[in-house]
Amino acid sequence: MKILIPILIVASVISAHAEEKSAEFYGFLLANTTYAAGGVDSLGRNNLVAYNSAANPVLATNPSRTAGSFQVQQSRLGLKLHLDEQLETIFEFDFVDMNKSTPTVAALPRLRQAKVTWHEEDWTFNVGQMWDLYSPLAPTTYNYIGHYFLSGDLGFMRIQAQALLKKGNFEHGMAIGFPNFNNGASASTAEFSKVPTLSLRETYHADAWTYGTSGIVGHLELTNRTRTQTPFAVNLFAQYKDESNELNFESYYGHNTENLSLQGLGYSPSLLTLRETGAFFTGRHRLSEKQGFFYGAGFAKILNPENLTPSYSYSGTPSRPSLNLTSTTTASTGYGIVQNATLRLGYEYFIKKKMTAFFETAHLYTEHLLSPVDQPRWSSFRNSQVFELGLKVDL
């Protein structure tokens, strides 16, 4: 909370002394309880924080046991400062940490967005940390952090500079950004590669419909300079949205998508080429003033799994390998998933204007790449059913 408190104090002072709407809070409180009939992973960690795949049987505490949790980590708080008619900044936080299964007072703020936006006639310029220009649609689910990552949705956060131009029904977008994150203390492939990513997006708006295509490309070089790689991804997207209905669709093809900090399956620590494809479709429909339902499906698949690396490694060939892991992190080896599919169905009840109760269930089907010593011991195909009940209050 040490990071968040000074920002809240500054925002309160600005709100009290500046003109109306110069400072604006936004976000939501999300409190939910989650039950899983089998092991699940949240972006490679064996917990229920933001589930999006069935658990890796080698790394899971117990891949067949049921589990439950209460969560508030996905709650979100943002501050938008309107500096003048053309200039604004955004700071946005949540409390998610995939390495903490069910924290209480141990949860810390996580910086999601920190950007400045400048409007100039038909142009909009964004600089800072924000959502990717590539893969712009948000699937419909109350699992905001996990949603359809690793099963069709690739777009994530990136430190970048964006330029958007609106002309009639068209919007043209371009961005350059940092190729990947590095949470370590020393420079690595991302920094030594020195070449920023390039993203392009073309969007057409027609009444309630939006259509478009986008792409991203980068260039990476291993620290020992023995191999280079040009990861990329291209996609098609479409959205329909009116007062009562919303439909979202995206499909993509790419190489080494996770090497570009996208939320795909393709990561190679040695920069071997990994070909990948995927798609998602989601819908939401308002049944009445008080009720609605939503649904969705997504999948992603590595097309040449012979180049994929398991998400763990052993030292030698231990007699009880699952108790002698030398690495359980996804940062260095990727998720080690060959294919992943998600099916979701949910119901929402609108208690009042800014308060919604919801129920959501998800079926996760995942094929993990296992090391040779584990293949006789475990099935690489895993599935799990998740049930979630929660309350969302918009700020």
Side-chain angles (χ1 to χ4, degrees):
M1 295 299 289
K2 292 181 179 179
I3 301 174
L4 195 57
I5 290 174
I7 294 174
L8 296 178
I9 294 174
V10 171
S12 299
V13 172
I14 293 174
S15 298
H17 294 89
E19 297 178 359
E20 186 179 1
K21 294 185 179 180
S22 64
E24 174 187 349
F25 282 107
Y26 68 92
F28 54 80
L29 187 149
L30 185 70
N32 60 288
T33 178
T34 308
Y35 172 87
V40 298
D41 285 346
S42 299
L43 292 172
R45 273 62 171 180
N46 182 217
N47 56 48
L48 291 159
V49 174
Y51 58 91
N52 50 20
S53 65
N56 186 310
V58 179
L59 301 180
T61 305
N62 190 322
S64 300
R65 286 199 62 177
T66 59
S69 177
F70 283 67
Q71 296 283 341
V72 293
Q73 290 189 76
Q74 293 198 35
S75 299
R76 186 176 304 174
L77 180 63
L79 170 64
K80 181 182 291 187
L81 298 176
H82 302 272
L83 304 180
D84 57 38
E85 293 182 354
Q86 294 177 292
L87 194 63
E88 65 186 31
T89 63
I90 284 180
F91 296 92
E92 184 179 289
F93 299 85
D94 64 17
F95 306 89
V96 170
D97 186 344
M98 303 298 177
N99 293 310
K100 295 177 181 177
S101 183
T102 310
T104 305
V105 296
L108 298 173
R110 180 182 73 153
L111 180 64
R112 291 171 51 83
Q113 296 194 76
K115 69 173 183 176
V116 57
T117 299
W118 175 36
H119 302 281
E120 183 66 37
E121 296 181 347
D122 297 329
W123 289 90
T124 298
F125 302 95
N126 298 301
V127 178
Q129 180 172 301
M130 71 204 87
W131 283 103
D132 266 319
L133 186 77
Y134 173 82
S135 185
L137 300 187
T140 304
T141 174
Y142 281 90
N143 182 12
Y144 291 103
I145 304 302
H147 57 90
Y148 289 78
F149 288 157
L150 312 188
S151 58
D153 186 24
L154 292 187
F156 194 56
M157 299 289 180
R158 189 177 307 276
I159 301 174
Q160 59 190 302
Q162 295 180 352
L164 303 169
L165 173 62
K166 288 187 177 181
K167 286 293 185 181
N169 292 338
F170 286 92
E171 181 186 66
H172 317 289
M174 183 183 74
I176 57 172
F178 195 68
N180 209 325
F181 63 88
N182 180 4
N183 293 332
S186 302
S188 66
T189 299
E191 289 86 2
F192 289 131
S193 297
K194 300 181 289 295
V195 179
T197 59
L198 172 65
S199 302
L200 299 174
R201 188 176 75 202
E202 286 292 326
T203 309
Y204 179 77
H205 302 277
D207 297 325
W209 283 96
T210 298
Y211 308 93
T213 182
S214 62
I216 184 171
V217 64
H219 181 78
L220 300 176
E221 179 181 339
L222 290 179
T223 54
N224 60 12
R225 298 185 175 180
T226 58
R227 186 187 296 273
T228 62
Q229 173 63 260
T230 305
F232 73 90
V234 292
N235 85 336
L236 298 172
F237 59 90
Q239 181 183 66
Y240 176 86
K241 193 171 185 179
D242 61 25
E243 292 183 357
S244 302
N245 305 284
E246 180 179 339
L247 300 172
N248 296 289
F249 169 79
E250 284 192 1
S251 64
Y252 75 89
Y253 173 81
H255 288 186
N256 298 73
T257 59
E258 200 200 339
N259 282 101
L260 277 186
S261 191
L262 299 171
Q263 294 302 317
L265 305 180
Y267 183 88
S268 172
S270 56
L271 296 185
L272 296 176
T273 298
L274 286 167
R275 297 181 285 109
E276 178 182 348
T277 189
F280 74 82
F281 173 77
T282 64
R284 167 178 271 146
H285 305 282
R286 190 85 174 242
L287 299 175
S288 67
E289 182 181 345
K290 289 291 187 179
Q291 300 181 81
F293 74 98
F294 56 95
Y295 52 87
F299 83 96
K301 180 180 178 64
I302 296 292
L303 300 177
N304 58 330
E306 63 273 10
N307 284 351
L308 192 63
T309 304
S311 61
Y312 60 96
S313 62
Y314 293 125
S315 177
T317 308
S319 58
R320 301 181 67 189
S322 63
L323 302 179
N324 293 274
L325 293 177
T326 60
S327 173
T328 59
T329 64
T330 60
S332 60
T333 57
Y335 299 112
I337 293 176
V338 178
Q339 58 182 323
N340 189 45
T342 303
L343 294 173
R344 294 182 182 272
L345 180 65
Y347 168 82
E348 48 195 351
Y349 183 80
F350 307 105
I351 301 172
K352 54 193 308 181
K353 183 178 181 180
K354 293 190 174 183
M355 181 182 292
T356 304
F358 66 90
F359 171 78
E360 183 170 349
T361 182
H363 184 80
L364 308 172
Y365 175 85
T366 309
E367 180 187 359
H368 293 275
L369 180 66
L370 304 183
S371 68
V373 71
D374 287 313
Q375 290 173 9
R377 305 170 64 246
W378 300 100
S379 170
S380 60
F381 295 92
R382 314 297 298 183
N383 66 83
S384 183
Q385 192 78 26
V386 184
F387 305 92
E388 186 173 356
L389 183 66
L391 182 69
K392 180 190 176 190
V393 177
D394 294 301
L395 304 181

